[in-house]
Amino acid sequence: MAPVITLNAVDYLIIGGYIVVMVLVGYSLKKYMKTGEDFFLSGRSLPGWITGLAFLSANLGALEVIGMVANSAKYGIATVHFYWVGAIPAMVFLGIFMMPFYYGSRVRTVPEYLKLRYNEATRGLNAISFAVMTVLMSGISLYAMALLFKIMLGWPLTQSILFAAVVVLLYVFWGGLSSSIYNEVIQFFLIWLGLLPIVFLGLKQVGGFAGFTAKLQETLLHSIKYLGTSNNPLGVDWFGVVMGLGFVLSFGYWTTDFLVVQRALASKNLNSARMTPIIASFPKMLVPIIVVIPGLVALLVLPEFGPAALPTADYNSALILLMKHYLPNGLLGLAITALLASFMSGMAGNVTAFNTIWTYDIYGTYIRKGRPDAHYLKVGKYTTVFGIAISVGTAYIVQSFPNLMDYMQLIFSFFNAPLFATFLLGMFWKGATAWGGFWGLLVGILTAAGHYILYKAGVLTYHSDMAANFYQAIWAWLADFVVTIGVSFFTAKRDPKELVGLVFGLTPKPKAEARWYARPAVWGTLAVIVAVILNVIFW
Amino acid sequence: MNDTIETKDQGAGMKQGHVLDLKLPIGWLLSAYGALLTVYGLVTKKEMYAISLGINLNLIWGILMLAIGGGFLLTAFLKRKGRS
């Protein structure tokens, strides 16, 4: 099959320039990596704007961008729910209410908080599931990258996989979390600069928003208006969107997933840590510009998705086809670099999160306890090699089992959805006991798995797979919430003295030291107000 | 609890941390891309831009990226000057 896109020397020069800069940044960070905290948490020294942009970029992977363009072509403007309902409230909540416990308690990882608040078993359950899933996901996205570049540019799979693995290995081995974070910030600028030309050209060709209104179906143009019933393109009603996506899934991901929380923990002080997700929330609100508009443009300008589209049309190719449709060589290289950067930074993020959890929560807890810091720094560095080797291995396994990708994502969702209930009760109710936390989490995970089996067996039916996913999250969260409370009434309470710094109400409020314009509460409130206004405009 | 946090924070502020100023690599990368695209936009023929609706977007985007990259370099330069 001939490649979709042909690059020339200028394009390759742009791609090469990015690789060189990333390796140099990694190398120049090498001299700062003296302690474990330097390697795993950037020495807790980074300013808020860097951790904030990295917080956002860690989630803005290439698969996310391609998938959201595809969703926008399928569901229209309702895709904004993944941003304005499904991210902003959770990010602001993390910054204002939860970060004082994460950063203030000086934990190094999310599972470590679970150990302090609940017990060793709860930490183990979370740490092991997270480590296994993260490193496998990194391999899956490595494969997805190689496959995309093969179809798009004709690059051979093996060379793509090994090349990306070596580049990521070099800079993570040298610079640890700092390398990952710096790469994410550079990726943030590249993805905007790489994709905005498509937005401008697309809007110009279809005649701006008026063009959308004139030529597209009414149901594709509103975010909320048609949510009264599940009879809309999403196939989900308002309750599913608000509770499933807006509450459980989004809070579960943004407030407990170590991949994103680790960025905030790298901040230089508590105020920067709290500002990290709030700074990220503003560009997050704007991401629909580079995903929703191209999705709608694709419906109007690409024959593949027009009125004569086949039911089998692959919406995931929408972004790539738009790049081919609009971008001349030069800008094309820039857009490809943006995608490459987001794949590589996604992989680096997964590998550094895996490193940290493996070294602190698994190796340092179950295998070799109480060694000097230098030992763990070394283990962390070599875990990078090990983690990348597993990723490459996974990439080859996925090649022969393409469905593995869907299964992994599915299993990951079992672990993620209920976790937010465990954290919510842990941080805001001092009565939650150690074993209450453990059993709540376990039953929540099993509920998610059970719901999935019943749905696949046809016992439960929904209007769409997305609705099933949202309601599965709601049930898993509810099961965790109820069981944690129930078991807590029958098991031994923790001594409140041990919970100081971990639970709201037992911890002195952080003094508002920053001036009013630097306070998380001020910016967080503003973020929520802007998100509400955006929702009203695109009602 | 609060006291220990504050002393530790001050400690972190005192130590140099990872002082690699990220504005520099971002600034250099974007400026280099900008310069390359600008030159490429100047030397390429109009026919190449039929797909981008007749607009020489390499040139326009190149100038824009030069400006953004230059902005980063300038901020980093002024900050360094202010410190010394």
Side-chain angles (χ1 to χ4, degrees):
Chain A
M1 203 170 66
V4 179
I5 286 173
T6 322
L7 297 184
N8 71 12
V10 175
D11 299 315
Y12 279 108
L13 208 58
I14 292 176
I15 297 172
Y18 163 75
I19 306 273
V20 170
V21 168
M22 278 330 300
V23 173
L24 287 179
V25 165
Y27 185 75
S28 66
L29 286 166
K30 195 178 153 197
K31 60 177 180 284
Y32 300 116
M33 299 298 137
K34 296 201 181 80
T35 68
E37 287 229 329
D38 287 332
F39 189 76
F40 296 116
L41 290 174
S42 302
R44 299 195 195 256
S45 65
L46 300 180
W49 73 271
I50 289 187
T51 52
L53 293 183
F55 186 93
L56 173 62
S57 292
N59 167 261
L60 200 61
L63 290 181
E64 159 88 10
V65 173
I66 290 170
M68 283 298 169
V69 172
N71 279 342
S72 306
K74 255 191 281 185
Y75 308 126
I77 287 190
T79 308
V80 298
H81 292 313
F82 288 97
Y83 297 87
W84 302 337
V85 176
I88 306 303
M91 291 161 90
V92 171
F93 185 82
L94 171 67
I96 295 182
F97 296 105
M98 290 174 73
M99 201 48 76
F101 306 111
Y102 272 134
Y103 195 91
S105 64
R106 310 304 289 183
V107 294
R108 297 165 299 188
T109 66
V110 166
E112 198 173 354
Y113 177 86
L114 289 173
K115 147 94 173 114
L116 294 181
R117 176 60 186 86
Y118 295 106
N119 57 16
E120 196 55 66
T122 316
R123 170 209 265 195
L125 183 59
N126 181 236
I128 293 169
S129 58
F130 182 83
V132 172
M133 289 296 162
T134 305
V135 75
L136 295 181
M137 292 292 244
S138 146
I140 284 168
S141 67
L142 189 59
Y143 170 69
M145 180 199 84
L147 188 65
L148 179 73
F149 284 116
K150 185 187 157 96
I151 295 171
M152 187 168 62
L153 304 168
W155 293 354
L157 277 177
T158 301
Q159 277 89 326
S160 293
I161 290 177
L162 292 180
F163 182 72
V166 168
V167 173
V168 171
L169 173 65
L170 276 180
Y171 70 74
V172 175
F173 188 84
W174 280 329
L177 180 64
S178 298
S179 274
S180 272
I181 286 182
Y182 286 0
N183 189 6
E184 282 155 5
V185 176
I186 293 177
Q187 176 225 330
F188 173 84
F189 291 100
L190 288 179
I191 207 115
W192 283 93
L193 289 166
L195 298 184
L196 274 178
I198 296 175
V199 175
F200 290 143
L201 293 172
L203 280 178
K204 187 171 155 60
Q205 191 178 6
V206 304
F209 272 92
F212 291 144
T213 334
K215 292 174 210 149
L216 287 173
Q217 277 173 27
E218 168 82 359
T219 46
L220 289 173
L221 294 169
H222 291 275
S223 63
I224 299 173
K225 200 170 170 186
Y226 296 100
L227 286 182
T229 65
S230 46
N231 207 357
N232 55 49
L234 288 176
V236 191
D237 55 15
W238 66 270
F239 183 80
V241 168
V242 172
M243 284 301 290
L245 175 66
F247 186 61
V248 179
L249 282 174
S250 117
F251 280 72
Y253 175 76
W254 290 102
T255 68
T256 71
D257 196 307
F258 185 56
L259 185 62
V260 287
V261 173
Q262 189 176 21
R263 270 101 201 111
L265 295 181
S267 304
K268 62 184 176 188
N269 56 38
L270 178 59
N271 201 64
S272 301
R274 298 179 71 196
M275 283 302 286
T276 297
I278 294 169
I279 290 171
S281 71
F282 288 93
K284 181 77 181 172
M285 279 185 249
L286 300 179
V287 174
I289 295 174
I290 51 170
V291 297
V292 176
I293 295 175
L296 296 178
V297 168
L299 288 178
L300 293 176
V301 302
L302 297 176
E304 287 88 342
F305 310 116
L310 301 170
T312 53
D314 177 16
Y315 287 97
N316 281 321
S317 62
L319 181 63
I320 307 305
L321 293 174
L322 282 172
M323 282 164 54
K324 178 190 165 73
H325 185 84
Y326 282 127
L327 300 183
N329 287 100
L331 283 181
L332 198 53
L334 188 66
I336 303 274
T337 306
L339 288 183
L340 185 68
S342 62
F343 271 117
M344 294 224 260
S345 80
M347 185 180 170
N350 277 314
V351 168
T352 39
F354 168 75
N355 260 347
T356 314
I357 299 273
W358 167 264
T359 307
Y360 284 144
D361 292 299
I362 299 175
Y363 182 87
T365 306
Y366 300 110
I367 302 175
R368 294 258 189 286
K369 232 178 162 146
R371 294 296 175 96
D373 184 66
H375 177 74
Y376 293 118
L377 172 62
K378 212 180 200 175
V379 169
K381 288 200 148 191
Y382 287 96
T383 306
T384 310
V385 182
F386 173 65
I388 287 178
I390 301 178
S391 301
V392 172
T394 312
Y396 279 96
I397 297 171
V398 187
Q399 247 179 77
S400 6
F401 304 97
N403 289 334
L404 200 63
M405 187 161 184
D406 300 330
Y407 287 123
M408 292 299 301
Q409 243 145 10
L410 184 77
I411 297 171
F412 208 18
S413 77
F414 296 168
F415 290 103
N416 245 349
L419 194 57
F420 178 59
T422 306
F423 270 88
L424 197 64
L425 288 169
M427 284 182 175
F428 299 96
W429 183 46
K430 61 181 182 215
T433 65
W435 287 106
F438 176 79
W439 288 109
L441 187 56
L442 190 63
V443 171
I445 293 167
L446 295 176
T447 303
H451 179 280
Y452 177 76
I453 293 167
L454 291 179
Y455 171 61
K456 279 290 151 183
V459 181
L460 297 168
T461 49
Y462 295 96
H463 273 274
S464 64
D465 282 352
M466 196 186 289
N469 183 22
F470 289 179
Y471 276 93
Q472 179 170 308
I474 296 173
W475 286 113
W477 181 87
L478 199 65
D480 184 326
F481 194 78
V482 170
V483 171
T484 304
I485 294 175
V487 174
S488 292
F489 283 121
F490 300 102
T491 45
K493 294 263 182 296
R494 297 277 306 262
D495 179 1
K497 276 194 215 92
E498 293 171 10
L499 299 179
V500 173
L502 299 171
V503 183
F504 190 81
L506 295 172
T507 310
K509 282 214 180 101
K511 272 178 285 175
E513 284 199 337
R515 289 173 197 273
W516 67 268
Y517 56 79
R519 278 185 205 155
V522 174
W523 287 101
T525 312
L526 187 66
V528 171
I529 294 172
V530 178
V532 169
I533 294 173
L534 286 171
N535 270 307
V536 171
I537 294 175
F538 290 91
W539 188 273
Chain B
M1 189 67 209
N2 242 3
D3 290 344
T4 56
I5 293 173
E6 272 155 34
T7 40
K8 275 197 175 169
D9 280 348
Q10 274 161 9
M14 304 280 265
K15 100 179 160 201
Q16 275 290 318
H18 300 180
V19 283
L20 172 83
D21 191 350
L22 190 56
K23 291 187 206 79
L24 287 174
I26 297 179
W28 284 118
L29 185 68
L30 297 188
S31 310
Y33 281 171
L36 181 67
L37 286 178
T38 308
V39 172
Y40 191 55
L42 287 173
V43 299
T44 37
K45 295 206 180 69
K46 207 170 175 342
E47 292 82 66
M48 199 179 118
Y49 298 100
I51 57 168
S52 55
L53 313 176
I55 304 169
N56 186 340
L57 209 55
N58 274 337
L59 181 63
I60 298 172
W61 216 246
I63 294 170
L64 179 85
M65 287 179 78
L66 261 178
I68 299 173
F72 272 106
L73 291 179
L74 190 70
T75 327
F77 174 73
L78 290 176
K79 201 177 154 197
R80 188 174 284 186
K81 216 177 160 195
R83 217 183 271 148
S84 62

